[in-house]
């Protein structure tokens, strides 16, 4: 494999667009910190910012984008439709667009395949599911305010249901899913590849608190040999699997470290060693939702 400039790398989508390989995630980034984090990331070279209505920080993310001084057309912004808004797709989209204040969205995702009752979070809407949500998502493209649409946290069974429904005229451009060596999901990755759906890896470092992956000897051994941090090793593993990545941080030094991915790569043996990690866990679960969305059958 030729050495790549990973920070300028873009992955082609089935729409003809190209998504930047490396982005900044903003999940759990406090509003009072995320504005500076987004601004700093863009000024250091990031061109993809990932957020969501659910994160409750889109106003500050938008402010950070404007603070950066980089023109809108140089950036890729991803946001997501929250579960209680599935039957109000246009309203949810308009709220994100207004909060962000950026004119248009590059990629709009269905955050989870769960249509939650906004009046009772413990209930799923009885007359609505994600197939109906996707029907409304497809209509957004006619507004000219969103360039690409996709999904997030969709498993193979969800994608099969969606793609086989006659109302599905547009194949999702992206499926954003949790991916790291302890949740590699090769079956789901292969399925998406076969359908022309690009995968973006979230929680690509395996979580920030007491992360078991940072304790894996093979991760630290490879990092030591290459003079790279464990985080950088894990990010490169994801990139070399063909997935874009959105590591999150509000710490300037870590934001820069996570972007320091040019001029080096993992060897085939190193990739195989990381693939051999036996530890298994997920950062994101579905216990807080009214229905189960993760089934553990896409490994």
């Amino acid at each position: 494999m030729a050495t790549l400039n990973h920070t300028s790398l873009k992955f082609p989508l089935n729409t003809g667009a190209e998504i930047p390989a490396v982005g900044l995630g903003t999940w759990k980034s406090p509003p009072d910190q995320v504005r500076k984090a987004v601004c700093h990331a863009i000024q250091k070279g990031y061109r993809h910012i990932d957020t969501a209505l659910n994160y409750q920080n889109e106003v500050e993310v938008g402010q950070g984008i404007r603070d950066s001084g980089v023109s809108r057309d140089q950036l890729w912004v991803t946001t997501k439709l929250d579960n209680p808004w599935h039957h109000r797709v246009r309203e949810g989209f308009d709220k994100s667009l207004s909060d962000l204040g950026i004119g248009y969205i590059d990629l709009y995702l269905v955050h989870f395949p769960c249509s939650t009752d906004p009046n009772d979070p413990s209930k799923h809407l009885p007359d609505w599911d994600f197939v109906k949500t996707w029907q409304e998502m497809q209509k957004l493209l006619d507004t000219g305010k969103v360039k690409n649409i996709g999904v997030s946290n969709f498993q193979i069974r969800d994608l099969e249901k969606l793609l086989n429904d006659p109302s599905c005229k547009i194949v999702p451009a992206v499926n954003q899913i949790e991916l790291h060596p302890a949740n590699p999901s090769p079956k789901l990755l292969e399925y998406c590849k076969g359908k022309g759906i690009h995968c973006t890896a979230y929680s690509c470092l395996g979580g920030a608190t007491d992360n078991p992956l940072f304790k894996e000897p093979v991760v630290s051994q490879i990092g030591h040999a290459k003079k790279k941090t464990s985080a950088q090793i894990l990010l490169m593993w994801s990139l070399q699997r063909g997935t874009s990545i959105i590591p999150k941080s509000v710490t300037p030094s870590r934001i820069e470290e996570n972007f320091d991915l040019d001029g080096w790569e993992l060897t085939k043996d190193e990739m195989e060693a990381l693939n051999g990690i036996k530890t298994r866990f997920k950062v994101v679960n579905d216990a807080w939702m009214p229905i189960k969305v993760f089934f553990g059958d896409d490994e």
Side-chain angles (χ1 to χ4, degrees), residues 38-228:
V38 167
C39 178
H40 184 75
I42 294 172
Q43 291 180 340
K44 290 299 179 180
Y46 284 73
R47 290 297 177 263
H48 180 188
I49 303 297
D50 178 272
T51 186
L53 182 58
N54 175 264
Y55 302 166
Q56 301 180 38
N57 60 11
E58 288 185 308
V59 169
E60 293 78 16
V61 168
Q63 290 170 337
I65 290 172
R66 291 187 290 279
D67 290 348
S68 73
V70 173
S71 63
R72 173 69 184 94
D73 62 356
Q74 298 299 305
L75 303 173
W76 179 285
V77 179
T78 298
T79 189
K80 312 174 194 78
L81 178 75
D82 200 8
N83 298 353
W85 295 76
H86 273 222
H87 61 310
R88 302 171 292 163
V89 170
R90 182 60 190 266
E91 291 177 53
F93 174 77
D94 285 345
K95 177 165 175 53
S96 283
L97 193 64
S98 174
D99 286 351
L100 287 164
I102 54 174
Y104 66 92
I105 302 297
D106 296 278
L107 177 62
Y108 194 51
L109 305 177
V110 180
H111 206 157
F112 287 93
C114 175
S115 306
T116 301
D117 185 337
N119 298 313
D120 187 349
S122 68
K123 294 180 179 178
H124 190 272
L125 289 173
D127 58 347
W128 200 273
D129 66 9
F130 60 78
V131 173
K132 288 186 177 180
T133 307
W134 192 248
Q135 293 169 17
E136 298 303 309
M137 291 284 288
Q138 292 177 137
K139 294 176 185 177
L140 287 178
L141 292 170
D142 296 332
T143 68
K145 295 180 179 180
V146 60
K147 307 298 184 183
N148 307 271
I149 56 174
V151 297
S152 180
N153 296 297
F154 273 51
Q155 308 299 287
I156 292 174
R157 65 179 70 184
D158 301 320
L159 291 167
E160 281 280 277
K161 179 178 178 179
L162 179 62
L163 296 176
N164 289 322
D165 191 277
S167 69
C168 181
K169 307 299 183 184
I170 297 170
V171 175
V174 170
N175 187 15
Q176 186 180 122
I177 49 180
E178 179 176 340
L179 291 170
H180 46 74
N183 190 63
S185 303
K187 289 181 181 177
L188 180 54
L189 267 186
E190 191 64 24
Y191 178 88
C192 288
K193 182 179 179 180
K195 299 296 183 181
I197 302 171
H198 173 74
C199 289
T200 295
Y202 76 75
S203 292
C204 41
L205 296 176
T209 307
D210 196 28
N211 185 345
L213 282 176
F214 285 3
K215 299 174 184 177
E216 289 285 341
V218 66
V219 176
S220 55
Q221 288 166 5
I222 294 173
H224 181 75
K226 303 189 93 68
K227 295 182 172 57
K228 301 295 177 183

